[in-house]
Amino acid sequence: MMQNEINWGTKYIYDAHEREYKTAPDVVATAPGRIHCIGEHSWFFKDKTLSMAITVPVFVAVSERTDSLLRFYFPQREKRKRANLSSLTFKREDRWANAVKAVIFGYAETGFPVRGMNITVSSDLQPSVGFGITTAIKVAVAVAMRELFGASCSERAMLAAIEKGNRVFLNMNYYRADVYTALYGKRGCLVLTDHATNRWDVVPFPFHEKKILLTDAGVPRVSVWDEERMQDAMNVLLLGELREQKNGVWGGWQYENSATEINEVLSVVSEDMRRKLLCIMREHGDVLEAYQALRTHDFGRFSRAVNHSHESMRDLYELSCPEIDWLLKRVGELEPNLAELRNPVTCGRITGKGFGRCLYAVVRDGDVAPFKKKLEEYERIFGFHPSCYDVVPADGAHIVLHAGETR
């Protein structure tokens, strides 16, 4: 995040916390939102995900209490919630506050001396929009509480608290690429996560002359895929059979590329499932392609990987929609001429919460205004009001006001 954003965000949440609770925060932490560039749905198969922490920050301010009460405040939405450490439970109506409670629960279950707290959460975007806002809340709370616990809380313990909160309190899967991106993101870089080894790596994003546009198309979100059906042990075994060890590849393996072998192994599943498993395999290849492109500063290769990933989402996973496809077609039309299509100067892909109706596009500086003009045309055609954000790769979570400091 840019320093002026951090300074403004710190002042805003400090003042909001002080007004609400009549006491200054003991600690303030921030964590970035994020997008998964490629591979966001492949965690269950222990594949890889390429992600970007983005300059859409969440701030969390905490002050300790002398009792066991927990009070939560979201100033942008003027929402307030309450809980008690002695009866900490998930409540559907608490929505964003459940993310905070999950981390508190995780720390308590991990053995840390959790006390009552006043907690303020600040974000210009609602958690429901996606872009990793809910994860950023969890991570910022975890980092702030770790600061309060001091040296007795290791990074491993913090990660364990987040995981326990996700799995036990929220009854949700623990997606490491979400957490690693929010924690370890670095300005000007992407984060590559290997779900098989829990390894992560920071990869420079060398295309500094490019602009990254994150667009919420405003289309109502609908569930278009059956995650539970995908997460069948047989599917894991089938893809495992198609893996092969490979030297010189990040993570040490890749999928088989023989069409005959792939068709033979996947012949035991339905055609719909075969397409989805094939999409998983292609996504893994696109992650590795994009990674190599970043290392060699080859934007054309990176763009082809991103565009190919969206085609897989659209044609094999059937996750896209006419509105997203229309917008991405406009991104493609920003190319200077047809001869450049083999070496594209723009790219884009569907993204967002649960494959929500959002997209990111990487374009040239001169393409920003024409694309935003197309958003006006989009609204006239489809009737949905889009929101567009200019973002850059951001730093991961950190403390902006340490315990014992004053503003």
Side-chain angles (χ1 to χ4, degrees), residues 37-38 40-41 275-276 278-280 282-283 286 303-321 324-325 328-329 332 335 341-342 344 346-351 360:
C37 301
I38 305 175
E40 62 202 289
H41 58 298
R275 290 198 305 271
K276 288 179 168 55
L278 186 60
C279 180
I280 296 288
R282 289 187 178 182
E283 282 282 278
D286 288 335
S303 292
R304 289 193 296 273
V306 170
N307 291 336
H308 186 258
S309 174
H310 177 74
E311 291 166 5
S312 296
M313 295 292 95
R314 181 192 65 204
D315 300 336
L316 298 178
Y317 246 67
E318 299 179 335
L319 283 173
S320 194
C321 64
I324 292 291
D325 292 337
L328 287 173
K329 187 174 182 180
E335 302 286 354
L341 294 181
R342 288 286 303 164
T346 66
C347 61
R349 180 188 184 275
I350 189 172
T351 190
Y360 72 89

Side-chain angles (χ1 to χ4, degrees), residues 12 30 40 95 151 205 231 253-254 321 405:
Y12 176 85
T30 185
E40 62 202 289
R95 298 182 180 275
F205 185 77
Q231 295 172 7
W253 68 274
Q254 64 184 23
C321 64
E405 286 184 343

Side-chain angles (χ1 to χ4, degrees), residues 11-12 31 67-68 108 143 175 193 199 211 225 236 243 251 254 266 298 302 307 338 349 357 366 369 406:
K11 181 181 187 306
Y12 176 85
D67 53 27
S68 62
V143 168
Y175 192 25
T193 302
R199 172 186 172 187
K211 302 296 181 182
W225 70 309
V236 176
R243 292 187 179 194
Q254 64 184 23
L266 299 185
D298 187 342
F302 177 82
N307 291 336
L338 291 177
R349 180 188 184 275
R357 303 313 196 191
T406 56

Side-chain angles (χ1 to χ4, degrees), residues 96-109:
W96 56 272
N98 284 320
V100 183
K101 290 192 289 183
V103 177
I104 297 171
F105 172 89
Y107 270 119
E109 289 293 301

Side-chain angles (χ1 to χ4, degrees), residues 215-227:
T215 302
D216 183 341
V219 183
R221 288 168 173 77
V222 294
S223 179
V224 294
W225 70 309
D226 187 346
E227 184 177 19

Side-chain angles (χ1 to χ4, degrees), residues 69-82:
L69 292 178
L70 297 168
R71 295 178 62 190
F72 313 111
Y73 176 45
F74 201 140
Q76 284 93 340
R77 304 178 67 188
E78 279 299 314
K79 296 292 185 181
R80 296 168 177 84
K81 302 291 181 180
R82 291 174 177 264

Side-chain angles (χ1 to χ4, degrees), residues 95-123:
R95 298 182 180 275
W96 56 272
N98 284 320
V100 183
K101 290 192 289 183
V103 177
I104 297 171
F105 172 89
Y107 270 119
E109 289 293 301
T110 309
F112 285 89
V114 179
R115 295 182 289 276
M117 289 176 286
N118 301 315
I119 298 177
T120 303
V121 174
S122 172
S123 171

